[in-house]
Amino acid sequence: MTHSTIFAFSKHVGEEVTFRGWVYNLRSSGKIAFLQIRDGSGFAQAIVSETAVPAPVWESTQKLTIESSVELTGTVSKHPKKEEYELQVSGLTVLQIAQEYPIGKKEHGPDFLLNERHLWLRAGTQWAIQRVRNTIINATYEYLNKEGYIKIDAPVLTPTSCEDTTELFELNYFDEGKAYLTQSGQLYLEAAMFSHGRVFDFGPVFRAEKSKTRRHLTEFWMMDAEAAFVDYIGNMDIQEGLMKYIVAAVLERNVVELGVLERNVAPLQTAVTKPFVRITHAEAVEKLHVLGSDIAADDDLGADDETILTQQYDVPMFIMKYPAKVKAFYMKPDPEDSSRVLCSDLLAPEGYGEIIGGSQRIDDYDLLVRKMEEFNLPRAPFEWYLDLRKYGSVPHSGFGYGLERITAWITGTKHIRETIPFPRMINRITP
Amino acid sequence: MTHSTIFAFSKHVGEEVTFRGWVYNLRSSGKIAFLQIRDGSGFAQAIVSETAVPAPVWESTQKLTIESSVELTGTVSKHPKKEEYELQVSGLTVLQIAQEYPIGKKEHGPDFLLNERHLWLRAGTQWAIQRVRNTIINATYEYLNKEGYIKIDAPVLTPTSCEDTTELFELNYFDEGKAYLTQSGQLYLEAAMFSHGRVFDFGPVFRAEKSKTRRHLTEFWMMDAEAAFVDYIGNMDIQEGLMKYIVAAVLERNVVELGVLERNVAPLQTAVTKPFVRITHAEAVEKLHVLGSDIAADDDLGADDETILTQQYDVPMFIMKYPAKVKAFYMKPDPEDSSRVLCSDLLAPEGYGEIIGGSQRIDDYDLLVRKMEEFNLPRAPFEWYLDLRKYGSVPHSGFGYGLERITAWITGTKHIRETIPFPRMINRITP
């Protein structure tokens, strides 16, 4: 008897296998029971025929409920037309008969499902989203390793904030005063870059933001990457290479999952094969005016602007050279127009909007000091960061991606709360 | 002209290459300057000879200081006996002359170095430790992927604590009351395990512990793994496979780094080839009595006990079946002795002590409820966790490893504060 997973059924067609899992759904037509079984690796139909199994097996089958755990033995066969596999059951052992499962196959409201998140994760769509998320994570490590990056874990507990100070979670830190949960590891990565050349972090970041939109979470996963001797153009090249690698990996490894999600893969295939659009912020504003937006020339792009703009393109687009005043203090001014900075935001198509933000960093000590003064930043907490421009400063660039936003786009999920296992929002900290 | 990194010099012996980096050290003997250069990927000696370079290059060389950033061109040669490479310099461009570097080659105290952590990371030993840590991270992903695990990110912000409630960082969470920083993602992983079969998390965890030992940090990285249909023996097999894979990966990928650290690799090689020791807690107590410890039969092993015990073995050792009262509520009782649980701690050799803790989990609903009562745990915050034993409960096991403790052992670092890029301790939250 071969132990197998559903994922490996394709290797065992015509053979008898045994495996364990859960009853995802079931129906019976008199003398035949059709069980939809999931085992974590995939889904398969198991057919129990009263005439083909010993009487105790048939009796056990009659007792099964949704989410009951079972061990099954049977012969694998392939669906004549689809990449689906079936099991003709010869043996079945019940591990536990599940109590009445609270999540039915009918529609539930989001609050109910979020309250039952620990169970909702078992739903086919939620299973598929987490599997795609897992591929995105792995593909990120693979690509960055290949490009010579090493992982440097930036701290979560920080004595000060990197960007906006109004949206920080604050806590008491022994006798050291207040500590804050990080919003970005970037400044720390810049320090480590001087040791390793190319570094990235990948961990949870926090925004105590009172926004209740489909694109906001208070806790989410961010990947920051920083590279020495790379300018803002090279920075976009790395981002485009990374995104193409990620999307290609999902298309290759998650065929079943994209099917479960009914994701139209055409836009994903296009993102792999076609160059990304690159336009300046000034050009974007012009296009937005044509599209009916009243955005001012020196405004940041709002979520609505991003949505209508990205609906015009079938690939991700870089918006370069935003006005300096809407971006962070550490971004290098455009030598051709000092009111703008050498940055880029990458917007996903199909209306998804920003997934990556990046820029070339200021490498000159005096300029960085001036910029901090302009931004009214206190000097003392940033002395260590200024040090990096004293001891062998080099041109360098970096970017940060939001894992949930990328997962939302690739899986075609409208609300990013479904793309993280246990979402945290302003009104939700459970389960 | 070929662009190269120092790491890739071995492919360019006899060729002229160009690369950028920092002056790690320098000395001059009249007409020849010996520059030790680092570029993030490695270290190499660059030799500038006054008679072999144009006058401006020699003048630039005379101005160099420690940590100055440079672009170099020259011909690569190999050290006749060692795996070291040299560059006969033909061109040198200064990117920035560094100000006087605060970290000298002399001895500094730990407080000074920790205050300068953003610069100290550039030191050879610190560079090497982070490179090994990076390999440990990658090897963990590789092994777990191969074993069918997918990554599930457990939340950092939690409404309650998993284990000890006295050592939690607390913060205000909007109108939802208090939130706490996670100490372990395990309970959340158990929920996701029912969707995916095998899952792991890997992220920062927090202990507001007032301990000031060489083995304590307030923020550190933990990897938790949870697998359905695995008992406590199979759980140890997975851990042993993972640790052997990690150590083998470091031995293969970090030859230079282990050399920089002057790490004796014999114990690491032994850990790859020889089976780990597996003894029960009762046997360990017996051995400890012989070694002079006064540990009681139902005591937890203290740090000193772990140190003297692991000095007796040349491989990591599992201590199985601890007394139930010193372990967590969710561990499955030993059917042969209900005062003990089906757990294991993995202790690293050479006195390093605990690096992994794991156990089979209670899968019976009624028993779990009774255990929670025994441990005086409130029922309401754990209802979702109890749900997991109602809807298709299965036997399952899991474990958690401390990344910094594993890195400390493999790199031979005494204090784990050097194994994390930016350590957080009770008296340190900067830089």
Side-chain angles (χ1 to χ4, degrees):
Chain A
M1 188 88 65
T2 315
H3 280 267
S4 181
T5 60
I6 292 173
F7 185 77
F9 273 7
S10 61
K11 295 179 197 150
H12 298 293
V13 174
E15 293 173 30
E16 190 171 58
V17 299
T18 184
F19 73 105
R20 287 168 289 194
W22 295 267
V23 177
Y24 187 61
N25 213 342
L26 72 174
R27 62 189 170 88
S28 185
S29 65
K31 294 181 180 309
I32 300 183
F34 299 91
L35 313 175
Q36 204 184 350
I37 305 288
R38 57 176 194 84
D39 75 340
S41 81
F43 293 77
Q45 180 160 262
I47 300 167
V48 193
S49 171
E50 185 178 359
T51 56
V53 294
V57 166
W58 182 250
E59 282 156 31
S60 294
T61 305
Q62 299 306 103
K63 289 180 199 144
L64 290 177
T65 55
I66 285 177
E67 287 304 317
S68 291
S69 44
V70 290
E71 179 171 293
L72 287 167
T73 303
T75 306
V76 178
S77 61
K78 186 178 174 304
H79 189 287
K81 289 177 190 160
K82 300 184 214 167
E83 276 300 311
E84 287 174 11
Y85 295 86
E86 271 184 8
L87 196 79
Q88 287 292 340
V89 174
S90 55
L92 180 152
T93 308
V94 172
L95 302 176
Q96 189 194 45
I97 295 292
Q99 297 181 28
E100 193 181 352
Y101 196 57
I103 305 180
K105 302 301 168 201
K106 66 181 166 86
E107 287 285 313
H108 292 285
D111 267 344
F112 173 83
L113 290 171
L114 288 167
N115 285 336
E116 303 290 341
R117 183 62 174 169
H118 55 294
L119 303 176
W120 185 31
L121 285 172
R122 305 181 188 190
T125 52
Q126 301 304 312
W127 170 86
I129 290 170
Q130 289 305 316
R131 299 262 297 183
V132 172
R133 179 182 166 112
N134 181 58
T135 300
I136 296 169
I137 295 169
N138 282 316
T140 300
Y141 277 87
E142 290 160 19
Y143 184 82
L144 292 174
N145 280 334
K146 188 165 68 73
E147 295 293 315
Y149 287 79
I150 84 153
K151 188 167 191 240
I152 288 290
D153 294 312
V156 169
L157 297 170
T158 56
T160 178
S161 117
C162 170
E163 303 193 19
D164 191 332
T165 50
T166 59
E167 294 167 349
L168 288 170
F169 287 110
E170 176 187 289
L171 48 88
N172 295 314
Y173 196 81
F174 305 107
D175 302 330
E176 304 293 306
K178 298 287 181 194
Y180 305 91
L181 302 189
T182 186
Q183 294 188 315
S184 158
Q186 181 204 315
L187 305 195
Y188 291 97
L189 272 196
E190 286 187 59
M193 183 205 76
F194 283 89
S195 175
H196 297 282
R198 292 185 164 203
V199 292
F200 73 105
D201 65 23
F202 202 166
V205 296
F206 305 86
R207 303 252 161 114
E209 209 172 347
K210 292 205 167 150
S211 299
K212 244 179 124 170
T213 83
R214 65 183 177 86
R215 296 209 280 188
H216 283 91
L217 295 166
T218 57
E219 173 181 342
F220 56 99
W221 279 63
M222 193 154 163
M223 191 284 293
D224 296 289
E226 202 73 26
F229 311 116
V230 168
D231 65 10
Y232 85 106
I233 299 283
N235 198 36
M236 287 189 286
D237 294 341
I238 294 169
Q239 293 169 56
E240 184 164 346
L242 170 63
M243 285 308 304
K244 283 181 148 61
Y245 185 89
I246 287 172
V247 176
V250 171
L251 286 170
E252 188 190 317
R253 302 175 201 175
N254 296 114
V255 174
V256 169
E257 292 81 356
L258 294 170
V260 169
L261 294 165
E262 299 175 358
R263 176 67 166 115
N264 172 17
V265 294
L268 302 179
Q269 286 161 339
T270 307
V272 174
T273 52
K274 203 168 148 182
F276 291 3
V277 169
R278 298 183 185 193
I279 64 173
T280 63
H281 175 271
E283 289 164 337
V285 166
E286 238 175 81
K287 284 180 197 289
L288 282 165
H289 286 164
V290 174
L291 294 166
S293 167
D294 59 356
I295 184 172
D298 59 353
D299 267 2
D300 199 358
L301 267 62
D304 290 346
D305 295 320
E306 291 184 2
T307 300
I308 57 171
L309 195 59
T310 59
Q311 281 165 346
Q312 311 303 310
Y313 297 91
D314 61 353
V315 286
M317 62 189 301
F318 288 104
I319 313 290
M320 306 175 288
K321 299 189 178 180
Y322 279 67
K325 75 177 180 73
V326 306
K327 289 292 182 184
F329 72 95
Y330 48 71
M331 294 190 181
K332 190 174 174 106
D334 181 1
E336 291 166 13
D337 175 359
S338 65
S339 76
R340 297 188 175 270
V341 285
L342 297 179
C343 71
S344 60
D345 279 5
L346 181 64
L347 313 185
E350 303 174 79
Y352 278 90
E354 188 192 343
I355 51 177
I356 308 188
S359 76
Q360 188 162 346
R361 319 305 189 187
I362 293 174
D363 50 66
D364 181 75
Y365 181 87
D366 295 327
L367 178 59
L368 189 55
V369 168
R370 277 207 309 282
K371 278 285 174 178
M372 286 176 53
E373 284 163 3
E374 272 175 37
F375 278 75
N376 288 316
L377 288 168
R379 174 80 176 252
F382 291 98
E383 282 295 352
W384 69 269
Y385 183 65
L386 285 165
D387 271 0
L388 308 178
R389 277 71 181 172
K390 283 187 199 170
Y391 308 111
S393 190
V394 298
H396 64 286
S397 300
F399 60 94
Y401 88 36
L403 176 58
E404 288 73 19
R405 290 185 175 190
I406 291 177
T407 306
W409 168 52
I410 293 179
T411 58
T413 303
K414 192 178 169 208
H415 200 302
I416 64 167
R417 67 185 169 213
E418 292 186 40
T419 64
I420 190 165
F422 295 92
R424 299 297 185 238
M425 292 165 291
I426 66 167
N427 59 346
R428 173 163 302 276
I429 184 114
T430 57
Chain B
M1 187 89 63
T2 316
H3 281 267
S4 180
T5 62
I6 292 174
F7 185 77
F9 272 8
S10 60
K11 295 179 198 151
H12 298 293
V13 174
E15 293 173 30
E16 190 170 58
V17 300
T18 183
F19 74 107
R20 285 167 290 193
W22 295 267
V23 176
Y24 188 59
N25 213 342
L26 73 173
R27 64 190 167 86
S28 186
S29 65
K31 293 180 181 313
I32 301 183
F34 298 91
L35 313 175
Q36 206 184 347
I37 305 288
R38 57 178 196 80
D39 75 340
S41 80
F43 292 78
Q45 180 162 262
I47 300 168
V48 193
S49 172
E50 185 179 359
T51 57
V53 294
V57 167
W58 182 250
E59 280 156 32
S60 293
T61 306
Q62 299 307 102
K63 289 181 198 143
L64 291 175
T65 55
I66 286 177
E67 287 303 319
S68 290
S69 44
V70 290
E71 179 170 294
L72 286 167
T73 303
T75 306
V76 177
S77 62
K78 186 180 175 300
H79 188 287
K81 290 176 187 160
K82 299 185 217 167
E83 277 299 312
E84 288 173 10
Y85 295 85
E86 271 183 9
L87 196 79
Q88 287 292 339
V89 173
S90 55
L92 181 151
T93 308
V94 173
L95 302 176
Q96 188 194 46
I97 295 293
Q99 296 181 28
E100 193 181 353
Y101 197 56
I103 305 181
K105 302 302 168 198
K106 67 180 167 82
E107 288 284 312
H108 293 286
D111 267 344
F112 174 82
L113 289 171
L114 288 166
N115 286 336
E116 304 289 341
R117 184 62 173 170
H118 55 295
L119 302 176
W120 186 30
L121 285 172
R122 305 180 187 189
T125 52
Q126 302 304 312
W127 171 86
I129 290 170
Q130 289 305 317
R131 298 262 297 184
V132 171
R133 178 181 167 113
N134 181 58
T135 300
I136 295 169
I137 295 168
N138 281 315
T140 299
Y141 277 87
E142 290 161 19
Y143 184 83
L144 292 174
N145 279 335
K146 188 165 68 72
E147 294 293 315
Y149 287 79
I150 84 152
K151 188 165 192 240
I152 289 291
D153 294 311
V156 168
L157 296 171
T158 56
T160 178
S161 120
C162 169
E163 304 193 18
D164 191 333
T165 50
T166 58
E167 294 168 347
L168 288 170
F169 287 109
E170 178 187 289
L171 49 86
N172 294 316
Y173 195 82
F174 305 106
D175 302 330
E176 303 294 305
K178 298 287 181 194
Y180 306 91
L181 301 189
T182 186
Q183 295 188 314
S184 158
Q186 181 203 312
L187 305 195
Y188 291 97
L189 273 195
E190 286 187 60
M193 183 205 76
F194 284 89
S195 175
H196 297 282
R198 292 185 166 204
V199 290
F200 74 106
D201 65 23
F202 202 166
V205 296
F206 304 86
R207 302 252 160 113
E209 209 172 346
K210 291 207 168 149
S211 298
K212 242 179 127 171
T213 83
R214 65 183 177 87
R215 295 209 281 189
H216 284 89
L217 295 166
T218 57
E219 173 180 343
F220 55 98
W221 278 64
M222 193 155 162
M223 190 284 293
D224 296 289
E226 204 72 27
F229 311 115
V230 168
D231 67 9
Y232 86 105
I233 300 282
N235 199 36
M236 286 188 287
D237 295 342
I238 294 169
Q239 291 169 58
E240 183 164 346
L242 171 63
M243 285 308 303
K244 283 180 149 59
Y245 186 87
I246 287 172
V247 176
V250 172
L251 285 170
E252 188 189 316
R253 302 175 202 175
N254 296 113
V255 174
V256 169
E257 291 82 356
L258 294 170
V260 168
L261 295 165
E262 298 175 358
R263 177 68 167 113
N264 172 16
V265 295
L268 302 179
Q269 287 161 339
T270 307
V272 174
T273 53
K274 206 168 147 181
F276 292 1
V277 170
R278 298 184 184 193
I279 65 173
T280 64
H281 176 272
E283 289 165 335
V285 166
E286 237 175 81
K287 282 180 199 289
L288 281 166
H289 287 164
V290 174
L291 293 167
S293 166
D294 59 356
I295 184 173
D298 59 354
D299 269 1
D300 199 358
L301 267 62
D304 291 347
D305 294 321
E306 290 185 2
T307 301
I308 59 171
L309 196 59
T310 59
Q311 281 164 347
Q312 312 301 310
Y313 298 92
D314 61 353
V315 287
M317 62 189 301
F318 288 105
I319 313 289
M320 305 176 290
K321 299 187 177 179
Y322 279 67
K325 77 178 178 74
V326 305
K327 289 292 183 186
F329 72 94
Y330 48 69
M331 294 190 181
K332 189 173 175 108
D334 181 1
E336 291 167 11
D337 175 359
S338 65
S339 76
R340 295 187 177 271
V341 284
L342 297 179
C343 71
S344 60
D345 279 4
L346 181 64
L347 313 185
E350 304 174 77
Y352 279 90
E354 189 191 343
I355 49 177
I356 308 188
S359 77
Q360 190 163 343
R361 319 304 190 187
I362 293 173
D363 51 66
D364 181 75
Y365 180 87
D366 296 328
L367 178 58
L368 189 56
V369 169
R370 278 208 307 283
K371 278 284 174 179
M372 285 176 53
E373 284 163 3
E374 271 175 39
F375 278 74
N376 290 314
L377 288 168
R379 174 78 176 253
F382 291 97
E383 282 295 352
W384 69 269
Y385 183 66
L386 285 164
D387 271 0
L388 307 178
R389 277 71 181 172
K390 283 188 198 168
Y391 307 111
S393 189
V394 298
H396 64 286
S397 299
F399 60 93
Y401 88 37
L403 175 58
E404 287 74 20
R405 289 185 175 190
I406 291 177
T407 307
W409 167 53
I410 293 178
T411 58
T413 304
K414 194 179 168 206
H415 201 302
I416 62 166
R417 67 186 167 211
E418 292 187 39
T419 64
I420 190 165
F422 294 92
R424 299 298 184 235
M425 293 167 288
I426 64 167
N427 59 346
R428 173 164 302 277
I429 183 112
T430 57

